[in-house]
Amino acid sequence: MSAHCQLTGAEPGFGNSISHSHRRTSRRFDPNIQRKRYWLPSEGRYVRLTLSARAIKAIDAIGVEAAVARIRARGVKV
């Protein structure tokens, strides 16, 4: 599963792990990505979205119809 959010566009950040001796090694900061299924009443079907935890809270606030409209405006196929 790709670590990208369809709604917010959140993707991994990169940085370094720093040990006690201050050696640096590469690491990745992944967003909290979940796959969630929503009922889309206007199309009479379910849509499965790959979302960050923050985007799930946003959908609870704005509604699934508005969220799908924003996803499609970003050019992502739903």
Side-chain angles (χ1 to χ4, degrees), residues 37-66:
R37 194 174 80 144
Y38 288 98
W39 174 251
L40 199 57
S42 64
E43 296 181 17
R45 68 182 181 104
Y46 285 98
V47 291
R48 190 175 297 277
L49 302 175
T50 305
L51 302 167
S52 63
R54 187 178 66 180
I56 291 171
K57 292 175 188 174
I59 289 178
D60 290 343
I62 66 173
V64 69
E65 296 285 345

Side-chain angles (χ1 to χ4, degrees), residues 4-41:
H4 289 73
C5 175
Q6 289 180 312
L7 181 61
T8 63
E11 54 190 16
F14 295 89
N16 291 311
S17 290
I18 304 178
S19 70
H20 179 70
S21 64
H22 219 65
R23 289 180 67 110
R24 293 164 188 252
T25 54
S26 283
R27 65 159 293 178
R28 219 171 114 127
F29 296 90
D30 285 328
N32 184 4
I33 297 294
Q34 313 289 325
R35 280 183 62 81
K36 194 151 168 59
R37 194 174 80 144
Y38 288 98
W39 174 251
L40 199 57

